[in-house]
Amino acid sequence: VKSSEFTPNTCFEVAALFNEAGVPKGVVNVVTGLGSVIGPALTASPVPGIISMTGSVATGQAIMRAAAANMTKVSLELGGKAPCVVMEDADLELAANAIHASRICFTGQVCNC
């Protein structure tokens, strides 16, 4: 796992939970550092079976180019805030609650599963 350089402690805490749960050492690995430095090494490596990233279109394109050499699968959520369309006959309370949950409560981080 390569976390954002701005929030590395979150990954350390999640890795500690995996350790507490008895997940064998080496199954979950945390790598920290600047994405511009660590990212190219990770994405060009033949080791990962899949690369998942939420971020900019430019970064996604760079990941796809690097991963292509090894035919590594990629899962990307790129750019924008994913607008919502609410139809005229929609249940407005349900729509408002769903939009709030997906954009505010989850901070948009349920898109890349």
Side-chain angles (χ1 to χ4, degrees), residues 59-73:
T59 300
Q61 290 171 330
I63 287 171
M64 288 185 78
R65 280 191 296 272
N70 295 306
M71 296 298 294
T72 303
K73 293 178 189 175

Side-chain angles (χ1 to χ4, degrees), residues 28-53:
V28 176
N29 299 290
V30 176
V31 179
T32 62
L34 294 174
S36 60
V37 176
I38 303 297
L42 290 174
T43 58
S45 171
V47 174
I50 187 168
I51 299 165
S52 176
M53 191 277 299

Side-chain angles (χ1 to χ4, degrees):
V1 178
K2 191 309 192 180
S3 67
S4 164
E5 56 264 24
F6 302 110
T7 58
N9 291 339
T10 303
C11 274
F12 290 133
E13 292 299 321
V14 171
L17 292 173
F18 276 103
N19 188 47
E20 275 182 41
V23 174
K25 289 186 184 298
V27 171
V28 176
N29 299 290
V30 176
V31 179
T32 62
L34 294 174
S36 60
V37 176
I38 303 297
L42 290 174
T43 58
S45 171
V47 174
I50 187 168
I51 299 165
S52 176
M53 191 277 299
T54 299
S56 72
V57 171
T59 300
Q61 290 171 330
I63 287 171
M64 288 185 78
R65 280 191 296 272
N70 295 306
M71 296 298 294
T72 303
K73 293 178 189 175
V74 296
S75 178
L76 305 171
E77 178 64 29
L78 306 177
K81 288 302 239 175
C84 296
V85 176
V86 179
M87 304 304 288
E88 186 176 338
D89 61 345
D91 177 334
L92 295 181
E93 186 172 341
L94 177 63
N97 288 333
I99 292 166
H100 176 265
S102 67
R103 301 303 188 269
I104 307 298
C105 295
F106 303 129
T107 63
Q109 299 303 308
V110 293
C111 54
N112 208 355
C113 301

